[in-house]
Amino acid sequence: MSQPLFAQSPVTLDVDQALRPLIEKHLSVLRDGMVAESPSPREQQAIVQRARGEIIDLLATEGYFSPTVTRAGQGLPIQLKIDAGPRTRIESVAVSFEGTISEEPYAERRRRIEAEWPYKAGQPFRQADWDAAKAWLLEQVGEKDFPAVRFAKTEARVNPETRQATLSVVVDSGPAYTMGALRIDGLEEYDEKLVRRFNDIEPGDPYDRPRLLELQRALQATPYFASVVVDMPTDGPTERAPIDVVLVEGKPKKLTFGAGVSSNNGYRAQVGYRDADFLGRGWQLSTGIQLEQKHQLFFSDVYLPPSREGHQDSFGGQIERSRSQGLTIQNAAVGVARKVQRGNIETHLAFKLQREIYSPDGAERERNKALTVNWTWTWRQIDDLFNPRDGFVVSTQIGGGAKAAFSDQNFLRLFGRAAWYRPVGDRDVLLLRAEGGATLAPSREGIPQDFLFRTGGAQSVRGYQYNSLGVTEGDATVGGRYMALLSGEYTRWWENNWGAALFWDAGNAMDDRESFRLYNGYGVGARWRSPAGPIALDLGYGEEERRVRLHFSIAVAF
């Protein structure tokens, strides 16, 4: 049926619904200011002629080469009736090769490309699909060996009587190239050795675009460079063609200040310093002080440049003091670590020597020391790290210490957690979380609190105070050997980046498996999408304590 394309438009359109979006998007007579609200008869005739020409051209891109566009009646609004006519389909496709790829050593590659050609006989002819298929062909030939690939000929012949199209394309691969040495431009602060550390391309290797892109990605992922472009020119030699690496360096030294507040630890102020070229070796120094009402931390870490194999080593130390639920902890630690990132999977292996002063209110102060090893495996498969809506995150840890290796207790800590994000409708999201852990040891005595469990508070069991669920010792709540948590949250988002959430949490941390039970918390919350992730303000009711508590946090995927 005839419908106005836009409110108050002097033009209406009678066309198949499948074609309406194409014409609505591109027909120029519908743009603001192109047509007067009450055009004269001469202006109406010009509108019809212009619209007819544009519609015919638009339909041709979809394979309709014999449409009719007529005007129904003479009054306003202008009524255009469009009959697209029969659609042209592909009768045959011929793909031919010239250049080095046409030689015998590349016969299998040619056969694979011909077999995988995406635009087959019998499909409707569309200009967009034809262009996409040609782009695909250039990508397949030019991905390896042939960076100078080009089309020698492309043709699409349409027979309007039979409504058949014959397609032919001749691709010229040009000569085969091999890659040479790096030509690095843009370095002032850093040594060339830092760039070459990331390069595993040997002079004489066949041209391989994915390897060049991987080198560019690896350099761009470091803190050393603001921008990176890696390319191999084709206007020079074909043997050992130089690889151009054009860099814009980032500032190696950076001083940062920050402030904030959380319901867990109160007000926060912090100062950080980063030197990406520490000691002139390309090492990354990261050090800072974080002062919160219930938590204070000084840290200093040094990260070595990532290796070609994808791992990064680091070493450092920290001094930390915290107080929550009547327990004061003073901790000093030094350690070394290795992080390995391969795709969406990250592993982290750390050795740490720590000494802890453990002071529960109403109980004796203790000193614990431990030399620990801890291995973490994390798999992230989410659409957005800071504002996830679809996917999952799974993480597991195993670590511990032994009396035979400078620890006060033999213990083994096992921990795992998972989060599943499920989109609902156009904007809403359902989040399901689960966590569980156990520290295997004769007792919790002599085990640092890092390797025991407390829970409660924001991003844990809402409706209860931070770290309030655990083991009672004197007048304090301390860590237990067992922990479990389940959570479900539904968030309704609006277009203005604000949202509202309903949630249920259940969890606990205890030292006795036989009497272990989950404490429930549930409530409502407000959300705001910030650049750092969704900021959450939650009002939770703790069923065990029968109290309502306010929680504030930034909810990001771990």
Side-chain angles (χ1 to χ4, degrees):
M1 64 182 292
S2 179
Q3 298 180 14
L5 298 183
F6 295 96
Q8 306 303 320
S9 171
V11 177
T12 60
L13 189 67
D14 185 358
V15 66
D16 187 278
Q17 290 300 317
L19 297 173
R20 178 178 291 276
L22 172 72
I23 298 175
E24 288 183 349
K25 182 177 180 180
H26 297 286
L27 196 60
S28 67
V29 297
L30 300 171
R31 296 172 188 160
D32 291 342
M34 294 297 296
V35 178
E37 292 186 6
S38 300
S40 66
R42 177 176 292 183
E43 289 173 332
Q44 294 177 35
Q45 183 178 3
I47 291 169
V48 172
Q49 291 176 348
R50 181 171 182 172
R52 181 181 289 116
E54 292 182 1
I55 291 170
I56 290 173
D57 290 341
L58 288 170
L59 293 177
T61 66
E62 294 293 312
Y64 298 96
F65 293 99
S66 55
T68 59
V69 181
T70 58
R71 181 179 182 182
Q74 296 299 317
L76 291 176
I78 299 171
Q79 301 179 25
L80 297 179
K81 180 176 177 59
I82 302 171
D83 182 359
R87 194 172 198 177
T88 298
R89 294 187 174 272
I90 301 172
E91 180 180 20
S92 63
V93 180
V95 180
S96 303
F97 299 90
E98 292 181 356
T100 304
I101 197 173
S102 64
E103 298 174 1
E104 182 57 30
Y106 301 98
E108 179 59 32
R109 186 170 171 186
R110 296 195 304 271
R111 284 192 290 270
R112 179 187 60 81
I113 292 173
E114 290 172 344
E116 294 178 0
W117 169 261
Y119 209 24
K120 308 289 187 181
Q123 292 180 250
F125 177 81
R126 295 181 67 248
Q127 187 63 45
D129 291 342
W130 174 224
D131 292 340
K134 291 184 290 184
W136 175 89
L137 181 59
L138 285 182
E139 180 71 22
Q140 293 298 308
V141 176
E143 185 176 52
K144 295 185 178 181
D145 300 308
F146 307 112
V149 62
R150 65 180 183 84
F151 286 123
K153 178 184 177 182
T154 65
E155 185 177 62
R157 290 189 175 184
V158 176
N159 187 329
E161 294 181 0
T162 62
R163 301 186 297 279
Q164 298 287 332
T166 58
L167 309 181
S168 63
V169 56
V170 180
V171 62
D172 182 358
S173 70
Y177 282 70
T178 60
M179 298 183 287
L182 301 185
R183 294 193 307 198
I184 303 171
D185 182 43
L187 287 181
E188 294 181 5
E189 298 284 348
Y190 303 109
D191 192 282
E192 283 192 0
K193 293 179 181 178
L194 181 63
V195 177
R196 299 187 189 280
R197 183 185 181 98
F198 294 87
N199 179 42
D200 64 353
I201 298 171
E202 297 292 339
D205 287 351
Y207 171 80
D208 192 320
R209 184 187 300 150
R211 293 181 69 185
L212 295 180
L213 293 176
E214 176 58 26
L215 174 60
Q216 177 174 300
R217 184 207 62 77
L219 291 170
Q220 189 69 73
T222 71
Y224 308 119
F225 309 111
S227 70
V228 181
V229 176
V230 177
D231 195 16
M232 196 187 80
T234 58
D235 56 356
T238 60
E239 294 294 326
R240 301 196 175 199
I243 299 171
D244 289 332
V245 181
V246 181
L247 306 164
V248 176
E249 294 178 330
K251 294 182 179 180
K253 296 179 174 62
K254 186 176 183 180
L255 183 65
T256 60
F257 300 90
V261 62
S262 73
S263 57
N264 289 345
N265 289 317
Y267 294 103
R268 178 181 72 252
Q270 60 190 49
V271 179
Y273 175 75
R274 189 201 74 175
D275 185 351
D277 193 23
F278 183 55
L279 301 179
R281 303 172 66 97
W283 294 1
Q284 304 166 46
L285 169 66
S286 178
T287 186
I289 299 175
Q290 181 174 303
L291 302 176
E292 297 177 282
Q293 288 178 283
K294 300 178 182 180
H295 178 246
Q296 298 83 44
L297 171 67
F298 168 76
F299 67 93
S300 187
D301 296 305
V302 175
Y303 299 87
L304 276 60
S307 70
R308 293 182 182 179
E309 293 76 22
H311 67 258
Q312 184 174 33
D313 297 328
S314 62
F315 60 89
Q318 67 179 44
I319 300 173
E320 183 178 20
R321 182 185 184 277
S322 66
R323 177 170 176 80
S324 64
Q325 302 304 316
L327 175 62
T328 301
I329 300 172
Q330 300 174 42
N331 195 357
V334 294
V336 297
R338 168 169 288 188
K339 183 181 75 172
V340 180
Q341 184 79 46
R342 288 190 171 91
N344 294 326
I345 295 178
E346 176 185 302
T347 60
H348 190 268
L349 178 65
F351 293 87
K352 181 168 68 172
L353 178 63
Q354 66 184 99
R355 185 173 183 84
E356 175 187 88
I357 301 176
Y358 164 88
S359 306
D361 292 350
E364 291 186 7
R365 171 184 293 193
E366 295 183 10
R367 296 177 184 269
N368 300 321
K369 69 176 186 299
L371 175 62
T372 60
V373 58
N374 196 66
W375 180 78
T376 304
W377 179 91
T378 303
W379 181 16
R380 296 181 181 88
Q381 192 72 41
I382 52 177
D383 56 344
D384 189 319
L385 181 62
F386 293 103
N387 288 287
R389 188 166 179 267
D390 190 11
F392 60 87
V393 184
V394 178
S395 182
T396 184
Q397 295 179 14
I398 180 171
K403 288 182 178 180
F406 306 105
S407 295
D408 290 338
Q409 177 68 282
N410 296 319
F411 62 95
L412 179 67
R413 182 181 186 271
L414 307 174
F415 177 74
R417 58 182 173 181
W420 182 55
Y421 299 87
R422 178 68 178 174
V424 180
D426 294 334
R427 291 186 294 270
D428 299 356
V429 60
L430 173 67
L431 167 60
L432 301 176
R433 290 188 300 135
E435 296 183 11
T439 300
L440 308 180
S443 72
R444 69 176 186 276
E445 302 300 324
I447 302 176
Q449 289 291 299
D450 288 351
F451 287 83
L452 296 171
F453 303 98
R454 288 189 293 174
T455 189
Q459 297 186 333
S460 179
V461 185
R462 287 161 287 191
Y464 301 86
Q465 286 186 325
Y466 176 58
N467 280 344
S468 65
L469 301 181
V471 179
T472 299
E473 182 175 339
D475 299 324
T477 301
V478 303
R481 288 178 292 163
Y482 306 101
M483 188 275 289
L485 183 147
L486 297 172
S487 178
E489 179 174 302
Y490 184 92
T491 304
R492 169 68 175 173
W493 288 103
W494 291 282
E495 293 183 357
N496 58 4
N497 286 329
W498 284 92
L502 294 172
F503 64 84
W504 162 79
D505 302 326
N508 207 348
M510 301 183 73
D511 216 27
D512 183 3
R513 286 181 298 179
E514 286 71 21
S515 60
F516 193 99
R517 67 187 184 92
L518 299 178
Y519 287 179
N520 290 300
Y522 35 83
V524 298
R527 300 288 182 270
W528 178 63
R529 280 198 182 103
S530 77
I535 294 178
L537 185 66
D538 291 321
L539 199 62
Y541 175 75
E543 188 177 77
E544 186 72 16
E545 297 181 350
R546 297 184 179 181
R547 288 193 60 178
V548 174
R549 298 187 185 277
L550 188 66
H551 303 282
F552 177 78
S553 66
I554 297 180
V556 297
F558 61 84

